[in-house]
Amino acid sequence: LDTSSWKMDGLLKTIIKGELGFAEPTILINGDLVYEEGDGAEEDYVCNLPKTLEMLPAGGIKGGTVVRVEDFTQDLEVDLSFVHRDDWEEEEAWKDKDPEQRYIVGGDRPVAAAAAAAPAAAPASSAVDGDATAEEKKEEENPTKQQEEDDDDD
C-alpha cells in the first residue's frame, strides 16, 4: 500500500478490522504504542487516526516497517510487515481503484483462539450445504450387510 497516502483510520478499518478480523486492536510500531481500543484504552491515541502512516509516532509506517497488532479479547497477536508501493497505475487491475482500495494482504490470516477451537467442536458427520460427508459417500459406495438387507426388504 502507499504509506504516504494511507491514513491510520483507513488501515484500521479496511485491513486490521476488515481483512484480518481484529475486534479491539492494539497497535505498536517499534514497540511503541500508537493506538488501542477496548476496556482501559487510552484516548490519547485517537489523535493518530487522521495521520498518514508515514507520519505516525515511533518513526511511522514505511516500507520495511514491522507493526505488532494485538487483540487480547480474541487472543490474537500478529506482526505485519509493510511494503510501500505508489506505482499502482501501471497495472490495469488497479488503475480504476481508489487509493484506499490499493493494497495487497499476503500470508496466513490470524485465527482467534475461540474460532480455532470451534471446528473441533462440530460433529464429524455434519454435511455442508447439503453435500454428503465423505463417510456418507463411502457408505453409499460400499453398503454394509445390514443396509443391503434393508434394501432387499423394500
Side-chain angles (χ1 to χ4, degrees):
L1 55 80
D2 184 348
T3 58
S4 63
S5 66
W6 269 70
K7 296 190 184 315
M8 179 65 168
D9 185 42
L11 175 70
L12 185 66
K13 288 178 185 175
T14 305
I15 297 176
I16 294 175
K17 289 183 173 184
E19 290 277 341
L20 302 178
F22 283 83
E24 295 181 359
T26 297
I27 302 170
L28 299 102
I29 300 174
N30 298 321
D32 291 336
L33 186 62
V34 295
Y35 183 79
E36 67 178 338
E37 287 184 14
D39 293 338
E42 294 284 330
E43 292 292 321
D44 298 346
Y45 301 108
V46 174
C47 66
N48 289 328
L49 290 175
K51 293 181 180 178
T52 62
L53 300 181
E54 287 186 343
M55 299 308 293
L56 289 170
I61 299 174
K62 300 172 179 72
T65 303
V66 176
V67 175
R68 165 73 42 118
V69 183
E70 303 168 341
D71 187 335
F72 297 112
T73 65
Q74 296 178 291
D75 196 24
L76 286 175
E77 186 173 342
V78 298
D79 288 327
L80 303 177
S81 178
F82 286 80
V83 176
H84 171 78
R85 181 174 174 188
D86 57 8
D87 61 347
W88 296 93
E89 297 292 325
E90 294 176 14
E91 294 180 40
E92 193 65 35
W94 300 103
K95 206 176 263 189
D96 296 331
K97 294 192 179 214
D98 293 328
E100 294 81 30
Q101 296 174 317
R102 295 176 182 167
Y103 65 91
I104 299 170
V105 177
D108 296 333
R109 302 291 206 260
V111 178
S125 63
S126 66
V128 177
D129 295 331
D131 292 337
T133 64
E135 187 176 316
E136 291 167 339
K137 286 179 183 177
K138 186 177 177 183
E139 287 175 6
E140 288 174 10
E141 293 169 4
N142 302 313
T144 64
K145 188 89 167 156
Q146 182 64 41
Q147 288 171 328
E148 287 176 353
E149 289 172 7
D150 290 344
D151 288 343
D152 291 340
D153 291 340
D154 291 340

